[in-house]
Amino acid sequence: VTHDDEHRELARRLHSGIDPMLPAAGVEQRVTAAVRERIGTHRPRAAWLRPFQSTLAGALVAVAVVALVGGALGLTLALRGHSVPIAPARTAVIPVIPPAPPVTATPAPSPTSSTPGTIAYVLPGSVSFPTATDGWVAGQPCDAQGRCETGIARTTDGGNRWSLVAAPVNPLEGYALQVTAASSDDAWIWGTVPDGTPGTPEAPVFAATHDAGRTWQQVNLGGTTVVDVQVADGTAWAETACAPGTTPCAARLLSQPEHGGAWTTIGPVPQAVQGPAFSNGAVAGPYLVRSGTRAWIIDGNEQKPALMSTSDAGRVWTRLPLPCAYGANMTLAASSASQLMLACANEGGWPAPQAVWTSRDGGAHWTLRSRNWYTDFRPPEPNVGSLDNEGAPIGLAVIDSDTAWMVNDRGDDMVTHDGGVRWSNAALPMDYFGGGGGGEGVTFADPLHGWTFSTAGLWVTIDGGAVWKRQSVIGPTGY
Amino acid sequence: VTSLPDRIRAVDAIPSRDADASEFEAELAPLLGEAVRLATGMLLNAVDAEDAVQEACVRAWRHRANRRPDSELRPWLLGIVANQCRDAMRGRWWRVIRVADIADAAPTTGDDAAGNIDLRQAVSRLAYRRRLVIVLRYYLDLPFDDVAATMGCSVDAAKALDQRATADLERALAIPEAMQ
């Protein structure tokens, strides 16, 4: 059997297996028609350009005006160096509706099926370490034959020993839940699983435990999907997607004391960060960041990206400026109520054009720290700092005003020790991160104890990232 | 130009004419079949694949000005399709592989039916980048130069990844066969 024979046999099997899954005939025409319609109506236009749009002269005038304004601003930036404070955008105070009655919680049904066999390893899908010792992982426990199911594991010694806890859903292969924890006892999981009826959409799962996973209280949100849970200032906040069948989108925030108690509705998610609903009911890209009494919601909606902040438990939201280039995917993290880091990544070749900005005042003003690959962007932007990243940032963990960690799609994890100006690769094996498709997430419980994970497993550092070691979540490493 | 409103104005100032859209459509048309096959191989679901290609084409249009002058359209577009598939696979709140759907969805009959289900399940278990190299190399039958260009890595890296991915796939395929 030659290499060519093996190639042909694998190609044959792939065609045999995948061809029946191809969309129905005419897919090219359907895609073309849909794209034609969308690109004809999708592009937002600044109001001041509209009078000019119908004539070529108008378009040329618009280009010239933008070039002049851009040139003037560019010159200003050059004179100021690369630390560019941005004036805050207009501030909008958005009132929210009064709190609704408490949300009901009921005990979750017990799981009905057992694990497929002796668990050999766990594929982490979501990791939360509220302290250096207490950690939770939601993912896929698998046996040595690669048979997996949905599961949750917990550690109280920094990850040296893990134990599986009862999951509040039937263990199904291929379905990974997300987890956020406040302590060794208090954790929340959310996600979607099949509702048991073939052909029907997945059913949302949202449950909390306050006794280390022995029991779970499933929260009934009327079919609404939870998209993020964050813990700070003694409470857990849950952000929901749009409620099914509601127009406009009615995503909302709920709150529960971190050690348990009634859920209360904080109010709707501010309109500015409610993106369009996808067919699965999820909102396009918003997520929640909390530190102390401050909270931020960022929405990466390409058409109308927005950043909102509250410092009074969600009663009043203020709109903050966003410095990312138009159309960027954004990642936000906070190390305190005032210290923020924002990573932006755009389409346009690979590696992605990307930039890192920081704020010392909770997002009212931003300073450019590093930027790369925008030199042939339109408008072109010069490189700043040292961000030689082969991937695109999708996650941040900010330790303080100097040190931050970045996890990258199709790239290695990176670290900065000078506030985001210079970035270097983390001491992690390339094969499992950049070469393995990139990381999934990074979290630090304190400046020394951190965890990062990819589809290949979980890595831990106990010395601030000087050394990373693979950490087995049950079973031997090296799967 | 630094603030978001300024950037939006700058992007909108790029002349957009019907001729641009027609030209873009004509450039993309010969690549759509390959894009659909890539998305289907990655997502193993016809509806999701069609959605992903549509979304990728809109992204490509929106960011067409940012394509590097020396880069070819095919790997650039396939890269965006792959990226869109990854977004679909890794969405924070619908990280769903849909193994059950994968097994049930395709109306396969005959001797190969069980083998096809095993194949799809084995592919669905591969990590994203390994799945991508398998689909590009063996399902789209691209040469390593094009695989590397689409994946944004060197040819050597693509070959190394291919070796690991095929080993993973063979291992995954061997499990159900051994159980028969």
PDB file of all heavy atoms in Angstrom, chain B residues 38-55:
ATOM      1  N   LEU B  38     -15.952  23.012   1.710  1.00  0.00           N
ATOM      2  CA  LEU B  38     -15.138  23.213   2.913  1.00  0.00           C
ATOM      3  C   LEU B  38     -16.034  23.367   4.147  1.00  0.00           C
ATOM      4  O   LEU B  38     -15.805  22.715   5.175  1.00  0.00           O
ATOM      5  CB  LEU B  38     -14.263  24.462   2.744  1.00  0.00           C
ATOM      6  CG  LEU B  38     -13.538  24.953   4.002  1.00  0.00           C
ATOM      7  CD1 LEU B  38     -12.617  23.876   4.562  1.00  0.00           C
ATOM      8  CD2 LEU B  38     -12.726  26.217   3.704  1.00  0.00           C
ATOM      9  N   ALA B  39     -17.046  24.212   4.037  1.00  0.00           N
ATOM     10  CA  ALA B  39     -17.927  24.441   5.193  1.00  0.00           C
ATOM     11  C   ALA B  39     -18.668  23.170   5.577  1.00  0.00           C
ATOM     12  O   ALA B  39     -18.862  22.879   6.757  1.00  0.00           O
ATOM     13  CB  ALA B  39     -18.910  25.567   4.873  1.00  0.00           C
ATOM     14  N   THR B  40     -19.076  22.392   4.587  1.00  0.00           N
ATOM     15  CA  THR B  40     -19.784  21.140   4.888  1.00  0.00           C
ATOM     16  C   THR B  40     -18.849  20.155   5.586  1.00  0.00           C
ATOM     17  O   THR B  40     -19.239  19.491   6.553  1.00  0.00           O
ATOM     18  CB  THR B  40     -20.343  20.515   3.592  1.00  0.00           C
ATOM     19  OG1 THR B  40     -21.121  21.497   2.901  1.00  0.00           O
ATOM     20  CG2 THR B  40     -21.207  19.311   3.903  1.00  0.00           C
ATOM     21  N   GLY B  41     -17.629  20.069   5.100  1.00  0.00           N
ATOM     22  CA  GLY B  41     -16.666  19.174   5.742  1.00  0.00           C
ATOM     23  C   GLY B  41     -16.366  19.593   7.168  1.00  0.00           C
ATOM     24  O   GLY B  41     -16.147  18.756   8.041  1.00  0.00           O
ATOM     25  N   MET B  42     -16.364  20.890   7.419  1.00  0.00           N
ATOM     26  CA  MET B  42     -16.040  21.375   8.759  1.00  0.00           C
ATOM     27  C   MET B  42     -17.230  21.249   9.706  1.00  0.00           C
ATOM     28  O   MET B  42     -17.080  20.905  10.869  1.00  0.00           O
ATOM     29  CB  MET B  42     -15.595  22.837   8.689  1.00  0.00           C
ATOM     30  CG  MET B  42     -14.280  23.067   7.974  1.00  0.00           C
ATOM     31  SD  MET B  42     -12.900  22.168   8.713  1.00  0.00           S
ATOM     32  CE  MET B  42     -12.712  23.042  10.265  1.00  0.00           C
ATOM     33  N   LEU B  43     -18.432  21.589   9.221  1.00  0.00           N
ATOM     34  CA  LEU B  43     -19.593  21.664  10.107  1.00  0.00           C
ATOM     35  C   LEU B  43     -20.476  20.423  10.042  1.00  0.00           C
ATOM     36  O   LEU B  43     -21.281  20.187  10.940  1.00  0.00           O
ATOM     37  CB  LEU B  43     -20.422  22.907   9.770  1.00  0.00           C
ATOM     38  CG  LEU B  43     -19.679  24.239   9.932  1.00  0.00           C
ATOM     39  CD1 LEU B  43     -20.524  25.403   9.414  1.00  0.00           C
ATOM     40  CD2 LEU B  43     -19.286  24.479  11.376  1.00  0.00           C
ATOM     41  N   LEU B  44     -20.344  19.643   8.967  1.00  0.00           N
ATOM     42  CA  LEU B  44     -21.096  18.395   8.802  1.00  0.00           C
ATOM     43  C   LEU B  44     -22.594  18.614   8.955  1.00  0.00           C
ATOM     44  O   LEU B  44     -23.308  17.811   9.555  1.00  0.00           O
ATOM     45  CB  LEU B  44     -20.584  17.339   9.808  1.00  0.00           C
ATOM     46  CG  LEU B  44     -19.114  16.982   9.621  1.00  0.00           C
ATOM     47  CD1 LEU B  44     -18.611  16.141  10.786  1.00  0.00           C
ATOM     48  CD2 LEU B  44     -18.890  16.247   8.311  1.00  0.00           C
ATOM     49  N   ASN B  45     -23.039  19.732   8.435  1.00  0.00           N
ATOM     50  CA  ASN B  45     -24.451  20.063   8.509  1.00  0.00           C
ATOM     51  C   ASN B  45     -24.757  20.999   7.338  1.00  0.00           C
ATOM     52  O   ASN B  45     -24.129  22.058   7.221  1.00  0.00           O
ATOM     53  CB  ASN B  45     -24.757  20.733   9.855  1.00  0.00           C
ATOM     54  CG  ASN B  45     -26.217  21.137   9.981  1.00  0.00           C
ATOM     55  OD1 ASN B  45     -26.688  22.006   9.263  1.00  0.00           O
ATOM     56  ND2 ASN B  45     -26.916  20.492  10.895  1.00  0.00           N
ATOM     57  N   ALA B  46     -25.695  20.619   6.495  1.00  0.00           N
ATOM     58  CA  ALA B  46     -25.932  21.374   5.259  1.00  0.00           C
ATOM     59  C   ALA B  46     -26.400  22.799   5.533  1.00  0.00           C
ATOM     60  O   ALA B  46     -25.942  23.752   4.895  1.00  0.00           O
ATOM     61  CB  ALA B  46     -26.966  20.644   4.409  1.00  0.00           C
ATOM     62  N   VAL B  47     -27.319  22.947   6.472  1.00  0.00           N
ATOM     63  CA  VAL B  47     -27.870  24.284   6.746  1.00  0.00           C
ATOM     64  C   VAL B  47     -26.790  25.193   7.327  1.00  0.00           C
ATOM     65  O   VAL B  47     -26.619  26.346   6.905  1.00  0.00           O
ATOM     66  CB  VAL B  47     -29.065  24.169   7.715  1.00  0.00           C
ATOM     67  CG1 VAL B  47     -29.569  25.556   8.115  1.00  0.00           C
ATOM     68  CG2 VAL B  47     -30.188  23.377   7.058  1.00  0.00           C
ATOM     69  N   ASP B  48     -26.041  24.653   8.300  1.00  0.00           N
ATOM     70  CA  ASP B  48     -24.978  25.455   8.904  1.00  0.00           C
ATOM     71  C   ASP B  48     -23.919  25.820   7.868  1.00  0.00           C
ATOM     72  O   ASP B  48     -23.370  26.925   7.885  1.00  0.00           O
ATOM     73  CB  ASP B  48     -24.319  24.689  10.058  1.00  0.00           C
ATOM     74  CG  ASP B  48     -25.244  24.536  11.247  1.00  0.00           C
ATOM     75  OD1 ASP B  48     -26.300  25.195  11.244  1.00  0.00           O
ATOM     76  OD2 ASP B  48     -24.926  23.754  12.158  1.00  0.00           O
ATOM     77  N   ALA B  49     -23.629  24.872   6.972  1.00  0.00           N
ATOM     78  CA  ALA B  49     -22.601  25.132   5.958  1.00  0.00           C
ATOM     79  C   ALA B  49     -23.040  26.250   5.022  1.00  0.00           C
ATOM     80  O   ALA B  49     -22.267  27.153   4.699  1.00  0.00           O
ATOM     81  CB  ALA B  49     -22.322  23.855   5.169  1.00  0.00           C
ATOM     82  N   GLU B  50     -24.287  26.207   4.598  1.00  0.00           N
ATOM     83  CA  GLU B  50     -24.785  27.253   3.694  1.00  0.00           C
ATOM     84  C   GLU B  50     -24.757  28.610   4.390  1.00  0.00           C
ATOM     85  O   GLU B  50     -24.358  29.623   3.804  1.00  0.00           O
ATOM     86  CB  GLU B  50     -26.202  26.893   3.230  1.00  0.00           C
ATOM     87  CG  GLU B  50     -26.686  27.745   2.076  1.00  0.00           C
ATOM     88  CD  GLU B  50     -27.938  27.168   1.413  1.00  0.00           C
ATOM     89  OE1 GLU B  50     -28.145  25.933   1.481  1.00  0.00           O
ATOM     90  OE2 GLU B  50     -28.694  27.950   0.834  1.00  0.00           O
ATOM     91  N   ASP B  51     -25.188  28.624   5.655  1.00  0.00           N
ATOM     92  CA  ASP B  51     -25.151  29.876   6.429  1.00  0.00           C
ATOM     93  C   ASP B  51     -23.715  30.398   6.542  1.00  0.00           C
ATOM     94  O   ASP B  51     -23.458  31.596   6.430  1.00  0.00           O
ATOM     95  CB  ASP B  51     -25.708  29.656   7.838  1.00  0.00           C
ATOM     96  CG  ASP B  51     -27.224  29.540   7.833  1.00  0.00           C
ATOM     97  OD1 ASP B  51     -27.826  29.805   6.773  1.00  0.00           O
ATOM     98  OD2 ASP B  51     -27.793  29.163   8.870  1.00  0.00           O
ATOM     99  N   ALA B  52     -22.791  29.469   6.812  1.00  0.00           N
ATOM    100  CA  ALA B  52     -21.397  29.888   7.022  1.00  0.00           C
ATOM    101  C   ALA B  52     -20.808  30.489   5.747  1.00  0.00           C
ATOM    102  O   ALA B  52     -20.089  31.488   5.797  1.00  0.00           O
ATOM    103  CB  ALA B  52     -20.554  28.693   7.485  1.00  0.00           C
ATOM    104  N   VAL B  53     -21.116  29.885   4.605  1.00  0.00           N
ATOM    105  CA  VAL B  53     -20.574  30.414   3.345  1.00  0.00           C
ATOM    106  C   VAL B  53     -21.174  31.782   3.046  1.00  0.00           C
ATOM    107  O   VAL B  53     -20.475  32.707   2.629  1.00  0.00           O
ATOM    108  CB  VAL B  53     -20.838  29.425   2.190  1.00  0.00           C
ATOM    109  CG1 VAL B  53     -20.440  30.039   0.857  1.00  0.00           C
ATOM    110  CG2 VAL B  53     -20.055  28.142   2.419  1.00  0.00           C
ATOM    111  N   GLN B  54     -22.483  31.898   3.285  1.00  0.00           N
ATOM    112  CA  GLN B  54     -23.109  33.207   3.052  1.00  0.00           C
ATOM    113  C   GLN B  54     -22.461  34.281   3.935  1.00  0.00           C
ATOM    114  O   GLN B  54     -22.109  35.363   3.475  1.00  0.00           O
ATOM    115  CB  GLN B  54     -24.609  33.110   3.353  1.00  0.00           C
ATOM    116  CG  GLN B  54     -25.356  34.388   3.027  1.00  0.00           C
ATOM    117  CD  GLN B  54     -26.755  34.404   3.631  1.00  0.00           C
ATOM    118  OE1 GLN B  54     -27.129  35.366   4.286  1.00  0.00           O
ATOM    119  NE2 GLN B  54     -27.527  33.345   3.416  1.00  0.00           N
ATOM    120  N   GLU B  55     -22.290  33.942   5.211  1.00  0.00           N
ATOM    121  CA  GLU B  55     -21.707  34.902   6.149  1.00  0.00           C
ATOM    122  C   GLU B  55     -20.266  35.229   5.754  1.00  0.00           C
ATOM    123  O   GLU B  55     -19.830  36.374   5.825  1.00  0.00           O
ATOM    124  CB  GLU B  55     -21.752  34.308   7.567  1.00  0.00           C
ATOM    125  CG  GLU B  55     -21.677  35.325   8.677  1.00  0.00           C
ATOM    126  CD  GLU B  55     -22.806  36.331   8.641  1.00  0.00           C
ATOM    127  OE1 GLU B  55     -23.959  35.952   8.430  1.00  0.00           O
ATOM    128  OE2 GLU B  55     -22.501  37.533   8.801  1.00  0.00           O
TER     129      GLU B  55
END
